[in-house]
Structures are given as C-alpha cells and as structure tokens.
Amino acid sequence: MSFKAIIALSVLGLVGAQQTLWGQCGGINWTGQTSCGSGAVCTYLNDWYYQCLPGTSTSSRTSTSTSSTRASTSNTSSTRVSTTSTSSTRVSTTSTTSTRVSTTTSSPSSTPTGRVGKLPALGWNSWNAYRCDINETKLLNAANQMVSLGLKAAGYQYVNIDDCWSNINGRDPSTQQILPDLNKFPNGMASVASKIHSLGLLLGIYSDAGTKTCSGYPGSLGYEAIDAATFSSWGIDYLKYDNCNVPSEWQDNWTYPDWGQSNSAIRYRQMGTALAAQSRPIQYSLCIWGAAQVWTWGASVGQSWRISGDSAPTWSYITSVIDRNVAIIDYTNFYGRSDMDMMEIGNGDLTLAEERTHFLMWAALKSPILLGTDLSLLSTDQLNIIKNKELLAFSQDELVGAPAKPYGTATTTPPEYYSGKSSKGVHVFIMNTSSSTSTKTITFANVPGLGSGSYKVHDMWTGTDVGTFSGSWSTSLGSHDSGGWLITPA
Ligand code: GAL
C-alpha cells in the first residue's frame, strides 16, 4: 500500500490504531497511537518524540510516560538509542557507528541536545552588524575584540556566523555536504573554528529548516543528518536555525490541538535530533519568529526560541518584544528560553538610556544576549552596559533558572515593575516607559518574597549600596531608562 493510501485510509478511520507516516508514535507524555501503518517504522528520535518514518522493520518500542520514563528501541538501520537512568544528563559516545545519548528518566531537566545551553547564551552574531557582507576577517576581528575589550572575561562566549556564509550555488554534488563560500571563508569553516577555539571562544553557524535560507543559500530541510554531522566535524558549537522557504507540504495546517505535533515542530525536531546524535555538544537556537506556539514545545527541542520577527534599533521594538515575552514568561527556565533577538546596542539612534533598558531587560528576562554590532565602534559607556557584572550574573545564575517577572498591577505596556530571585536574593527591575523622568517606588510588601520590614537596597548598575529603608524606597528614572536592585533584609 502506498503511503498516500495509508494516509487516506487513516483519514477515513479505516486503519485502526495505527499512526500515519510522519506522525508521532511515542515519547514522554504521548498518549496517542504507538504503532505505524505498514511501510512505516516507529522510530526513536528523542525521549520526547518517536515518529513513523518510512521503513519496513518490524521493530517495536515501548512508549514512555512522565515519571518513570523508559524509552527503548530496537536497532534498525535508522534507529538507535536506549535511555538509561542517570542522575544528570550526560552523553557517552561509543565506538560503534552511532552515538549513544543517555538521558535522565525523571521529568526532563534538559533538552535532547541539552548537553549545553543551561544558561542564556552570551556572545556576538554577524547579522545586525554586517548582514550578508560577512567574511573570515570580520568574524575573527569580532572574536579578537571580544577578548581585547574584556567581553570574553565578562562571560561572552559565542561568535556566531549568520546567513550567507555558504556556497549559494549548492551542495557538493557527490557527498551532498553543504559547502562554505570560499570567497568569504577561503580557509574553510574548520579552520575558522580552530582559530575561534584557540581564543577560548565558541563558534556558531546558521542554517534553515526549509529548502533555502532567508537570503537564498542552501537550506537543511531533508539534509539534517548530513548537515549536523558536517557542522560537528568542523567544530561548530551553536546552530541558529531559521524558518524561510518552507515547502507547501511542510506548512502547518493551523489545526493542531498540540503545536508540538505541528509540521514546524517536526521540522525543528528533525534537526534537534540530528544535532543530538553528534558527539559534539551543539547549542540549538530555533529562529522561528514566535510561530507555531513554539514556547509550548521549544524547550523539548532546543535551548532557545525566537518569539518575534527581526529586531530593530528602535524603542518600539524593545518595548513590543518585552511585552510579548511577558505574556509567555513562565516558559523560560534552564535549558529553554524565549529569545528576544539579537542586541541592537551600537546600532541606529537608540539613546544611552534605551540601550541600558535593552540590556537590563534581556538580562532580567533571561533572553540570550548576542551582541550585534561592530564591537570596535562601541563607546566606553556602551561597553560598560554590556559588561555590567551584576546584570550578567543575574542572567547567568547557576542556581536559579526562572527569569524576573512583572509584579503588582501593570498600568503600562509593557509592565514597568519586575522582580526575580537569584542566588543572592530578591531583585527588582524597573523600566520607565514614559517620555519624561519619573519617580518609581518599590513598596517592599508588594514584591514577592519581601515583606513590610526594613531592607537594604543595592544598585546593580553601579554595584553600590544605596542604604537601608523601611516600607518602601523611591528613585527617579529618566525617560526610557531602567534600574535593577538587589533587596535584602536589613
Ligand atoms: C531572518 C532572521 C534574522 C537573520 C536573517 C538572515 O529570518 O530572523 O535574524 O538570521 O533571517 O537572512
């Protein structure tokens, strides 16, 4: 029977309890059909997802449930992996043909590729600075500046190449490998990776879950395994995966009760699975612009997911994306977070106050922070913003994964008052959305985790103690400026 026939019969309800080709057939929390129609094999992709893939093996598998998860598959030519119960996620590679990924059996503390990416990524990306006009020299300059300007010492790690790095004319005709554009990267990508690594930094690359990238370079849809293996062999540490040029058969049909089963989720999961199969840990950034309710499934696929279209160096972009993130703030935690897009500090006409708020809110809401400008042009004031120790420490807290969240009754869009915990205590962040200087008051009893007593207020921007106050404390904030304070019992 052809797959089309299987699908047609299934739609008519004539195939009993069998999943259709490409459908989900197992995984954590999966309660639907667990066997595939003839001609398809239920195949382990990761603990969260088994999929009916073309094949004729009669292998069967055990479905999984939340608390005592036990996913095991028999090996077919394209399936592998059994999970073991370990107290923390780890990976052991074997010398056989496939890589074995071991994961915890309790509720997931990390994603399938979550060997990295517990904390929001800190780094630099080429797109906002250079668009398609990218080459090895510009990239290595950025990397060297990350070191010489003290950004590496402040915690910035990733040097990420965006679109337009590959050979636009296509893949290697015999191996189907994606190729670099040798005019831009004359020494190839493995050489770039080794130069970046020798600076103590990590290298990111870009591809697309469609037939072509947004700028028309080869996409990875259908080439996930080969591209993930190629990236790994080059020494790549991070993949930004875009969402352009999706063929019609892969478009979402807008009727998913669970968007984790959407075609978008499958496209992104296919690359996540391919990355997880590499011996090299590769952080996975889903550039899906907030489509397909990605926040509901993104953490089971990668470490971050874009929630908006492209950033712009404008106050309206900054406020609108903060507002969008606030609506889905509970989805951000260790190993999975909403990505408010790359930094615009240094670009356009943002005021210094707006740049401060841009950085402070990305840190407070625990978005990835990927600088997006020619670093050599940053002023001392701008460098001081992006190197602020206490805001970076809040973003990178090893013990607290949750971001700051609005408190009190918001009267503005986005809200102005946020609080969050770090391993040091309770923090309050305030942004002034108005076009004039305003007085802002922290009433301690209104802040989750504080009460009506006396508290010490410590300014995160300056790293200095402001004093001890009873009941409340007020400060003045310039238009579009912001502040962050650690507030501890007196
Ligand atoms: C967009 C993406 C941008 C940039 C660009 C490259 O879709 O949101 O961040 O990567 O593609 O063409």
Side-chain angles (χ1 to χ4, degrees), residues 125 127-128 131-132 162-164 206 208 213-216 240 242-244 287-289 306 308-311 341-342:
N125 172 293
W127 184 252
N128 285 353
R131 299 290 195 245
C132 278
D162 208 279
D163 204 351
C164 313
Y206 164 101
D208 188 283
T213 71
C214 299
S215 301
K240 171 177 173 178
D242 216 333
N243 197 28
C244 279
C287 180
I288 187 175
W289 318 312
R306 279 272 298 280
S308 67
D310 290 6
S311 65
D341 204 5
M342 300 168 297

Side-chain angles (χ1 to χ4, degrees), residues 174-246:
S174 59
T175 64
Q176 297 305 312
Q177 275 199 327
I178 199 161
L179 302 166
D181 179 337
L182 293 176
N183 293 317
K184 296 172 181 167
F185 296 94
N187 304 303
M189 306 322 270
S191 159
V192 176
S194 100
K195 289 171 190 155
I196 297 284
H197 292 160
S198 71
L199 293 172
L201 298 169
L202 300 172
L203 180 63
I205 211 159
Y206 164 101
S207 192
D208 188 283
T211 52
K212 286 185 176 184
T213 71
C214 299
S215 301
Y217 293 72
S220 291
L221 186 66
Y223 296 93
E224 293 87 351
I226 195 166
D227 286 355
T230 303
F231 297 153
S232 178
S233 75
W234 287 343
I236 298 291
D237 306 291
Y238 183 110
L239 174 67
K240 171 177 173 178
Y241 204 42
D242 216 333
N243 197 28
C244 279
N245 299 304
V246 177

Side-chain angles (χ1 to χ4, degrees), residues 358-378:
H358 182 9
F359 182 76
L360 177 138
M361 290 306 296
W362 265 238
L365 301 189
K366 303 208 175 183
S367 171
I369 297 179
L370 296 172
L371 306 170
T373 200
D374 178 347
L375 298 173
S376 68
L377 302 179
L378 287 172

